[in-house]
Amino acid sequence: MGVVVRQWQSVHPGIDTGPMEIIGRINRSAALLQQAEDAPLRRAGLTRPEFDVLGTLRRTGHELTPSEIARETFSSGAAVTKRLKQLTGRGLVERRGDTRDRRVAHVRLTDEGRDLVDGILPDQLAYEAAVLSGIDPGRQRELAVLLGELLGRLEGSLGRPRV
């Protein structure tokens, strides 16, 4: 990222690259984290988006509609429908129709799905702790607060930064 910033500064010496330095580092960090973090998921035969669906159902602890899952995972309805079909086929989630509205489905984890999430989660957390271990715990808390502020701003504007 430092090279990219220097290159832009040489082409446009007066330009403020501060935002690029932050957003670029967040994006690059996210990409690198996701590549490595997906190893436990691959061993379990899951993709990151599938695990996000399962994790959402596990952490909320109750049935959700596909629309609620889409909102929680920042996914499109079509993407959630596709993932639910795959996860249902593997016996990890169950869908049931709504008794009052046949257009609505309710989704819940099966025992197998719950056990899979619970089995993977410690590996995920161990990986994340190892990644952060080189950063002082106080600085980790500071980073969490700053990223929380940024995320809150982005979520508050539906992904569109307010200008």
Side-chain angles (χ1 to χ4, degrees):
M1 209 44 236
V3 171
V4 170
V5 167
R6 283 191 299 279
Q7 289 170 337
W8 277 116
Q9 288 172 342
S10 73
V11 174
H12 291 285
I15 199 163
D16 177 13
T17 58
M20 178 188 298
E21 293 178 51
I22 295 169
I23 301 298
R25 285 184 172 102
I26 289 171
N27 287 336
R28 181 132 174 92
S29 294
L32 291 169
L33 285 168
Q34 197 139 9
Q35 285 176 6
E37 189 176 11
D38 286 348
L41 303 180
R42 280 193 301 276
R43 285 193 297 273
L46 292 173
T47 64
R48 161 61 54 186
E50 289 170 339
F51 182 73
D52 288 345
V53 169
L54 296 174
T56 297
L57 289 166
R58 180 65 173 126
R59 67 183 164 76
T60 59
H62 57 82
E63 292 182 347
L64 296 172
T65 65
S67 296
E68 291 168 329
I69 294 169
R71 274 193 304 279
E72 287 287 323
T73 60
F74 299 101
S75 302
S76 71
V80 168
T81 298
K82 178 182 174 187
R83 292 174 196 137
L84 289 175
K85 183 177 180 182
Q86 294 164 332
L87 295 169
T88 301
R90 291 185 57 191
L92 301 173
V93 299
E94 293 176 339
R95 296 174 68 134
R96 72 168 181 80
D98 189 283
T99 55
R100 291 173 286 178
D101 187 344
R102 293 176 38 179
R103 297 170 296 170
V104 177
H106 297 274
V107 182
R108 73 174 191 88
L109 280 177
T110 63
D111 290 342
E112 184 181 347
R114 186 193 67 245
D115 292 346
L116 181 62
V117 171
D118 289 350
I120 293 172
L121 189 59
D123 290 341
Q124 290 293 105
L125 293 174
Y127 167 76
E128 291 169 6
V131 167
L132 296 172
S133 67
I135 301 173
D136 174 76
R139 301 285 309 265
Q140 288 181 34
R141 286 188 293 280
E142 181 182 348
L143 180 59
V145 168
L146 292 170
L147 290 172
E149 290 174 12
L150 175 61
L151 188 56
R153 180 172 166 84
L154 293 171
E155 288 174 341
S157 61
L158 299 175
R160 292 181 305 273
R162 290 177 244 155
V163 277

